[in-house]
Amino acid sequence: MTTFSPVQAALEGVRMTRRKPLVVLAWAACYFAMLVVLGLVVAFAFGGTVRADLALLSRTNDVRELIDIVARRKGTLLPLIAFAVALQSVISVAIMRAVVHPQERRIAYLRVGAEEGRQFVVALVGWVVALIVTALPSAVLVLIGAGLISLGAVETNRWVEVLGAIAVAGLSIWFGIRLSLLSITTFAEGKLSLRRTWALTDHHFWHLLGMYALAFVITFLVSVAQTVVAGLILSLSGGATNIVMLALTGLANLLLAPFFFTVQMVVLTAAPARAYYDLHESELAPAPL
């Protein structure tokens, strides 16, 4: 049976950041340039209120909320979202390439080609699956709840809401874990296959869940480190009591934010990449006699 270490996989991004700091800095610079480009596009092509919706989109993982925002904008955000996903795919693929093909290190593993384009398709497939697994069951629960309330079974409806929410969350997590290696499998094997990803994660749900839990803890610690560094900068600037120091402090934090976000992206992308690499390598290993 194929196996891998959840702890080692979750720590892959930390090891990469330690071994290849200049590469991570290059990714952070690339991410910062992407933010500048997106900011210019928003400033010149959209109204000011779009920035609030984009900020909300960056914070939410709720598919229904995402659909509501896009619908409110009558589809005008779709090209911008597609552009943002395409730009982020460049860094995501670079991280996966650094794990699976570490010898291809020229230009900090950054490329623009078919591999990055396939990741855009992966993102679309992920949204469709999330819509089916989360939004549709939630809609069914709403209809059941409305029926129970119309029959006067308010107490029963409360139980249905609680148990239904737990069931939908569990279903979403299960599907999410089982398909969580779709990006790296598509990159490494050159084609998008839900069946291949589903088979690769078979019997590894709890290992993968533990891996992601540890990876999220690490990203939380990175956020704490960012807060501490921002506090140190503020204290060293004397509390930013004048406009010049306030501007310099803001600029420093503006430049540091992409770096810390990139480190978080490295952790969350390198973990499944290492899991895939180990699982695939153990598949190729000869069976014991």
Side-chain angles (χ1 to χ4, degrees), residues 46 50 53-54 57 69-70 73 75-82:
F46 297 92
V50 171
D53 283 341
L54 289 176
L57 280 174
I69 294 172
V70 173
R73 288 291 169 183
T76 57
L77 284 181
L78 288 176
L80 191 60
I81 294 173

Side-chain angles (χ1 to χ4, degrees), residues 208-259:
L208 289 168
L209 182 62
M211 178 193 75
Y212 286 116
L214 180 56
F216 278 112
V217 169
I218 295 172
T219 59
F220 173 76
L221 294 177
V222 173
S223 296
V224 173
Q226 180 180 357
T227 303
V228 171
V229 171
L232 288 175
I233 292 175
L234 186 62
S235 63
L236 291 174
S237 65
T241 55
N242 59 71
I243 296 177
V244 175
M245 291 306 299
L246 184 63
L248 291 176
T249 302
L251 178 61
N253 288 323
L254 180 66
L255 294 175
L256 282 172
F259 170 75

Side-chain angles (χ1 to χ4, degrees), residues 14 24 30 66 107 136 147 152 244:
V14 178
V24 175
C30 182
L66 187 150
I107 321 178
L136 293 184
V244 175

